[in-house]
Amino acid sequence: MNAATTDRAARFAAAYALLRAAAGIGDMWVQTDTCARIKGATDTSPVIDRDEQTGAQTVHGTRQGQLACAHHCLTYTATQAGALLIGSRLLGLRLKPSRVAAALALSLSTHYIADRREPLRRLADATGKSAFYQRLSPICGSFELDQAWHHGWETAAALIAAA
């Protein structure tokens, strides 16, 4: 292995670790409860909130789901961008800004696709994973498939960032 290959491999490993750690933080800590509940809402499968004080209902359909998902994906990607920026600086990775931008665009867009839920459910159906997707115990199949999707795309994003 030559020095350039070793450098690229080290950049990939660091970029992946930074993206993965930031993804967990962005998905679980930064994401608001409202985004988590509403991001998959559609007009045919709405999310209904009920005010505990007044009993009033709010119905969230496709538009509200799209906006909540976009908000979540922007904060998620900003978390990843911060991790890449700080990590790259501290580790001296010298990641190219254009490649980092492309990696983050891939992460954002694929995260949005999965978190709107319906596209991932359709993919599960098409690949024979419907029963697994719907499983709630002992693991939540839709969550596991969602995370596997994200991990795969984060790997692709890290490859782009490190190239």
Side-chain angles (χ1 to χ4, degrees), residues 14 23-24 39 61 67 88 94 124 132 155-156:
K39 66 186 178 184
L67 290 172
S88 177
R94 296 181 308 272
F132 184 75
T155 301

Side-chain angles (χ1 to χ4, degrees), residues 25-139:
I25 293 166
D27 237 359
M28 307 303 170
W29 287 99
V30 176
Q31 179 175 205
T32 67
D33 179 61
T34 300
C35 286
R37 284 182 299 100
I38 297 173
K39 66 186 178 184
T42 64
D43 292 341
T44 57
S45 188
V47 172
I48 302 171
D49 285 335
R50 182 184 306 272
D51 185 292
E52 292 180 18
Q53 305 293 327
T54 66
Q57 287 187 353
T58 304
V59 178
H60 305 282
T62 299
R63 186 69 181 141
Q64 294 85 1
Q66 292 168 333
L67 290 172
C69 194
H71 180 267
H72 164 56
C73 290
L74 288 171
T75 61
Y76 171 92
T77 305
T79 304
Q80 287 188 315
L84 280 176
L85 178 68
I86 293 166
S88 177
R89 183 76 171 208
L90 291 173
L91 297 171
L93 297 178
R94 296 181 308 272
L95 299 176
K96 292 183 180 176
S98 61
R99 295 215 174 258
V100 169
L104 292 171
L106 178 66
S107 183
L108 184 142
S109 61
T110 58
H111 199 90
Y112 183 89
I113 290 167
D115 279 19
R116 283 294 290 140
R117 297 196 178 115
E118 186 59 22
L120 196 60
R121 186 201 57 75
R122 285 195 309 262
L123 180 61
D125 290 348
T127 58
K129 295 289 186 187
S130 296
F132 184 75
Y133 182 85
Q134 295 170 15
R135 183 171 296 132
L136 295 176
S137 180
I139 61 170

Side-chain angles (χ1 to χ4, degrees), residues 18 23 87:
L18 292 165

